[in-house]
Amino acid sequence: MFSAGIDVGPPAREAVRPDSHEGLVYQVCRWCGTASFRKLLCPVCASSDLESERSDGYGVVVRSNVVNRYSRVMRNESLVRFPEGFVYRCRIVGAAPHLVNVGDRVRPVGGRTSEAGEVVLELCDPPGSSGWY
């Protein structure tokens, strides 16, 4: 389809179709029931019989690092635990890299994908959105 380069529709964040589902697709082993993300084999029993399931993508940060390797721009890479039982390394955006803390709730970023294939999440409660007094 040809594009004239003029954006006449709503922003990508607001233009979510009702049939599209945000979140993550993860695998569950049919033998032992272990949940994993982006694996070819089950990490527990090494079975290749994995069934795809959909997660809403909400999780909790369990480890947070500020990284600036391979570029001059600092970014945040965090380990996020999802309620389905797996932990995955994700990039957190929408806040300064040093303001992402352990225990922060995160959600998928609507309409944004990473060129490198990494999972991109944002904070549910950005810093400064609520009073800390």
Side-chain angles (χ1 to χ4, degrees), residues 51-132:
E51 181 177 87
S52 294
E53 301 259 341
R54 181 166 293 278
S55 167
D56 61 358
Y58 285 78
V60 176
V61 175
V62 294
R63 185 174 176 193
S64 179
N65 290 324
V66 177
V67 180
N68 65 345
R69 65 179 172 259
Y70 308 123
S71 71
R72 295 182 183 202
V73 179
M74 290 193 316
R75 64 186 184 279
N76 182 285
E77 288 184 357
S78 297
L79 288 178
V80 177
R81 180 176 305 278
F82 294 92
E84 290 80 14
F86 60 93
V87 177
Y88 197 72
R89 185 180 50 129
C90 306
R91 192 174 86 189
I92 310 295
V93 298
H98 64 282
L99 294 178
V100 177
N101 298 312
V102 173
D104 286 346
R105 295 180 310 134
V106 292
R107 64 178 171 235
V109 178
R112 184 162 177 187
T113 58
S114 170
E115 295 175 4
E118 60 189 357
V119 178
V120 180
L121 303 172
E122 67 182 353
L123 294 175
C124 289
D125 302 318
S129 65
S130 61
W132 50 272

